[in-house]
C-alpha cells in the first residue's frame, strides 16, 4: 500500500435551490446564518435572469456567493431531446434521473405561449384514452423538476436574455401524471410560477388539470389559487368508470361538488372551472351524450373544452368526424355553455393532448410496470 496521503473522495451533497418557494428559501438562508431577504435577490437571478451560477449573482457579497457555491446549487433537469413541430409546437424529453423521462410541450399561439408541464413520471390512474396512463407510474417529480421544465423551456428559446422570459405566458399542469397525487411538489412549483419573484404569472394563467382526486382538490382550495381544469370526458358514471377509472372512487356528483367548493374558497367570485372532454368516436361523442353533459353541469360555473381524441399506437380509439364534433359543440353552445374545440397541436411529434409518454424510455420496463398497474387497478389510489 502506498504510504502517501490517502485521498478520500467525499461526495458533496449540495442543496438544490431550484423549486424552493420564497419561504423555504428564506428558511434555508436563515439556517446557514444569512439574511432571509437575500431570497428575493436569488429568486430573481434564477427565475428572471435564468442564472444557475452563484458567481454571476453580482448583488450578493463575495463571501455569500462562495458559501452558496459550497453548500447549494441550481440544478434543472436535463433535456435529452428536443423536437420541433411544423406548427411551431416544441417538445422536450427531459431526463429526471434513473433513465426516467418526462415530456414538456410548448404551444405558441400569437402572443400567447402555453407550456404544458408534467408532474409525475408516468401515471397510476390509467385513463383509457391516455398514452401516459399506459406506461404505469414510476415516481413523483420534485418541485425542482417541475419548475425546472419552465426554466429550461425559457432557456431553450434564449428568452431570459431577451428580457422578461415572457415567451411562456401560460402554464398548464396537463402533461404526464396526476398533479394532485404529487400535491406538495406541485403546490410549491405552481407557487413559484405565480410569485412575482418567480415567474410572476397571474393565477388565471396557471392551470392545474385533475382527473378528480376529490380529497386533494379540497386541500388545494385551502392553499392555492391556481385555475382548475377537470378531466371529465363522460356525462355519467357508467361511461366515466370506463374512461377514467378513478371515477369508481370519486363519482361525478362528488367531483362536481368538490369543484364548487374549490370555487367557493376563491376570493375572486368570477372564476370558472374548465371542463375537459375528450371526444372519442362512438364512445362519448353522441348528441345524447352532449345533452346529458349539459344537464350534469348546469349548476357549476364552467366552460367546456372539447378535445378530439389524438390517436397513439397503444389505443384503438378513433377521433370523431368533424360533423360529429360540430354537432356535439352545437348542443352545448345552444344550452348556453362557452364551448371551445381544441385544435390538435404538435401531433406530428406526438405532442398533442393525451400523446405524451416519454417515448424514449425502456419499453420493457414500462410494459412490466403497466402490467403490475393493471393488476392493481381495483385497489384504492395512493393519496398523499
Ligand atoms: S389522463 Fe392524466 S390522470 Fe389520466 S392517465 Fe393520463 S396523465 Fe394520468
Amino acid at each position: 500500500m502506498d504510504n502517501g496521503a490517502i485521498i478520500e473522495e467525499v461526495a458533496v451533497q449540495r442543496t438544490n435551490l431550484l423549486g424552493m418557494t420564497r419561504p423555504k428559501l428564506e428558511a434555508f438562508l436563515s439556517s446557514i446564518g444569512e439574511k432571509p431577504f437575500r431570497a428575493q435577490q436569488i429568486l430573481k437571478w434564477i427565475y428572471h435572469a435564468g442564472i444557475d451560477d452563484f458567481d454571476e449573482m453580482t448583488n450578493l457579497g463575495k463571501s455569500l456567493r462562495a458559501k452558496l457555491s459550497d453548500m447549494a446549487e441550481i440544478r434543472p433537469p436535463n433535456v435529452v431531446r428536443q423536437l420541433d413541430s411544423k406548427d411551431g409546437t416544441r417538445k422536450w424529453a427531459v431526463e429526471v434521473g434513473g433513465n426516467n423521462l418526462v415530456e414538456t410541450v410548448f404551444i405558441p399561439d400569437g402572443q400567447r405561449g402555453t407550456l404544458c408541464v408534467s408532474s409525475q413520471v408516468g401515471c397510476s390512474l390509467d385513463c383509457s384514452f391516455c398514452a401516459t396512463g399506459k406506461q404505469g407510474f414510476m415516481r413523483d417529480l420534485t418541485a425542482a423538476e417541475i419548475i425546472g421544465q419552465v426554466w429550461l423551456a425559457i432557456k431553450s428559446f434564449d428568452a431570459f436574455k431577451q428580457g422578461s422570459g415572457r415567451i411562456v405566458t401560460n402554464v398548464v399542469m396537463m402533461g404526464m401524471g396526476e398533479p394532485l397525487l404529487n400535491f406538495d411538489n406541485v403546490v410549491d412549483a405552481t407557487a413559484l410560477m405565480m410569485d412575482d419573484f418567480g415567474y410572476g404569472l397571474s393565477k388565471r394563467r396557471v392551470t392545474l388539470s385533475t382527473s378528480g382526486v376529490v380529497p386533494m382538490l379540497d386541500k388545494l382550495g385551502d392553499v392555492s389559487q391556481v385555475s382548475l381544469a377537470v378531466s371529465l370526458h363522460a356525462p355519467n358514471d357508467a361511461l366515466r368508470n370506463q374512461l377514467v377509472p378513478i371515477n369508481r372512487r370519486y363519482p361525478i356528483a362528488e367531483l362536481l361538488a368538490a369543484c364548487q367548493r374549490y370555487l367557493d374558497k376563491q376570493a375572486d367570485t368570477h372564476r370558472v372551472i374548465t371542463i375537459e372532454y375528450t371526444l372519442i368516436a362512438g364512445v362519448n361523442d353522441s348528441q345524447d351524450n352532449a345533452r346529458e353533459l349539459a344537464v350534469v353541469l348546469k349548476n357549476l360555473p364552467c366552460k367546456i373544452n372539447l378535445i378530439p381524441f389524438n390517436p397513439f399506437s397503444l389505443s384503438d380509439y378513433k377521433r370523431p368526424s368533424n360533423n360529429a364534433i360540430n354537432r356535439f359543440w352545437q348542443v352545448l353552445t345552444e344550452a348556453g355553455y362557452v364551448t371551445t374545440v381544441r385544435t390538435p397541436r404538435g401531433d406530428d411529434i406526438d405532442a398533442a393532448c393525451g400523446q405524451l409518454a416519454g417515448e424514449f424510455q425502456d419499453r420493457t420496463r414500462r410494459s412490466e410496470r403497466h402490467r403490475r398497474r393493471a393488476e392493481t387497478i381495483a385497489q384504492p389510489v395512493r393519496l398523499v
Side-chain angles (χ1 to χ4, degrees):
M1 186 176 164
D2 188 348
N3 285 335
I6 298 171
I7 300 170
E8 280 189 352
E9 271 202 21
V10 180
V12 180
Q13 194 74 39
R14 294 190 172 88
T15 302
N16 192 1
L17 304 191
L18 193 70
M20 274 192 189
T21 58
R22 192 155 23 130
K24 285 185 179 171
L25 187 52
E26 286 169 353
F28 170 76
L29 289 165
S30 295
S31 76
I32 62 169
E34 297 294 336
K35 296 272 189 292
F37 79 88
R38 296 284 183 201
Q40 297 181 5
Q41 294 171 309
I42 294 170
L43 287 170
K44 282 172 82 172
W45 281 114
I46 298 173
Y47 300 106
H48 295 191
I51 296 296
D52 57 0
D53 181 347
F54 296 112
D55 283 339
E56 292 181 45
M57 300 184 178
T58 48
N59 59 355
L60 305 182
K62 237 180 170 179
S63 62
L64 174 56
R65 280 187 263 157
K67 194 178 201 178
L68 288 173
S69 297
D70 281 347
M71 304 179 73
E73 63 184 346
I74 296 150
R75 182 167 36 85
N78 296 321
V79 173
V80 294
R81 188 166 171 190
Q82 175 180 306
L83 292 171
D84 285 298
S85 162
K86 57 184 183 317
D87 68 13
T89 299
R90 180 173 284 186
K91 179 172 90 167
W92 300 269
V94 180
E95 204 269 327
V96 289
N99 284 330
N100 286 316
L101 295 176
V102 294
E103 294 184 332
T104 310
V105 180
F106 177 75
I107 307 135
D109 184 12
Q111 294 301 305
R112 193 178 155 118
T114 300
L115 192 71
C116 181
V117 169
S118 294
S119 57
Q120 297 181 310
V121 186
C123 183
S124 62
L125 298 190
D126 203 21
C127 299
S128 64
F129 51 87
C130 172
T132 304
K134 301 293 174 220
Q135 71 178 120
F137 172 75
M138 277 62 158
R139 73 166 175 85
D140 289 332
L141 295 186
T142 64
E145 289 162 344
I146 297 169
I147 198 73
Q149 292 170 67
V150 187
W151 195 88
L152 64 84
I154 296 172
K155 201 93 173 166
S156 147
F157 289 102
D158 217 14
F160 283 121
K161 285 192 187 133
Q162 290 157 23
S164 62
R166 274 291 184 230
I167 190 154
V168 174
T169 60
N170 296 63
V171 177
V172 290
M173 298 294 311
M174 289 184 189
M176 296 167 66
E178 164 53 61
L180 291 185
L181 291 182
N182 184 12
F183 190 85
D184 292 339
N185 292 329
V186 165
V187 166
D188 279 3
T190 51
L192 280 165
M193 292 171 201
M194 295 185 285
D195 188 330
D196 284 343
F197 293 97
Y199 290 116
L201 297 173
S202 85
K203 57 190 183 230
R204 288 174 184 273
R205 291 175 178 269
V206 179
T207 301
L208 184 153
S209 173
T210 179
S211 59
V213 191
V214 166
M216 306 315 287
L217 193 45
D218 282 326
K219 203 171 156 190
L220 184 73
D222 295 332
V223 297
S224 181
Q225 296 194 308
V226 286
S227 296
L228 193 64
V230 169
S231 298
L232 197 65
H233 310 304
N236 61 62
D237 286 325
L239 186 50
R240 193 166 192 262
N241 286 346
Q242 295 170 32
L243 300 178
V244 187
I246 197 175
N247 193 72
R248 296 174 205 157
R249 187 128 188 241
Y250 305 114
I252 291 174
E254 278 185 40
L255 172 56
L256 298 183
C259 290
Q260 185 59 59
R261 289 195 293 276
Y262 185 82
L263 291 177
D264 291 344
K265 288 176 183 171
Q266 304 297 316
D268 178 354
T269 53
H270 294 102
R271 299 187 81 184
V272 299
I273 306 283
T274 301
I275 298 293
E276 295 166 329
Y277 193 105
T278 298
L279 285 167
I280 307 168
V283 174
N284 65 353
D285 65 337
S286 72
Q287 285 171 286
D288 281 347
N289 292 145
R291 287 187 202 101
E292 195 178 0
L293 183 64
V295 172
V296 162
L297 294 175
K298 70 178 188 303
N299 293 323
L300 184 72
C302 65
K303 58 184 179 182
I304 301 169
N305 191 11
L306 301 176
I307 308 162
F309 176 70
N310 293 304
F312 59 91
S313 60
L314 295 173
S315 173
D316 294 330
Y317 287 149
K318 302 245 176 331
R319 179 192 163 96
S321 67
N322 286 345
N323 279 345
I325 295 168
N326 283 339
R327 283 195 295 267
F328 201 95
W329 173 85
Q330 197 165 1
V331 169
L332 294 171
T333 303
E334 285 172 2
Y337 291 94
V338 173
T339 307
T340 51
V341 179
R342 188 178 297 172
T343 313
R345 297 291 304 269
D347 49 355
D348 55 331
I349 55 169
D350 285 345
C353 221
Q355 291 182 322
L356 302 188
E359 64 175 283
F360 312 104
Q361 290 195 55
D362 178 338
R363 288 178 183 274
T364 310
R365 184 183 55 163
R366 189 194 310 175
S367 59
E368 169 61 14
R369 283 180 193 266
H370 185 248
R371 184 187 63 72
R372 273 188 262 140
R373 168 65 198 146
E375 285 172 358
T376 57
I377 191 67
Q379 304 296 317
V381 297
R382 176 182 55 87
L383 291 181
V384 183

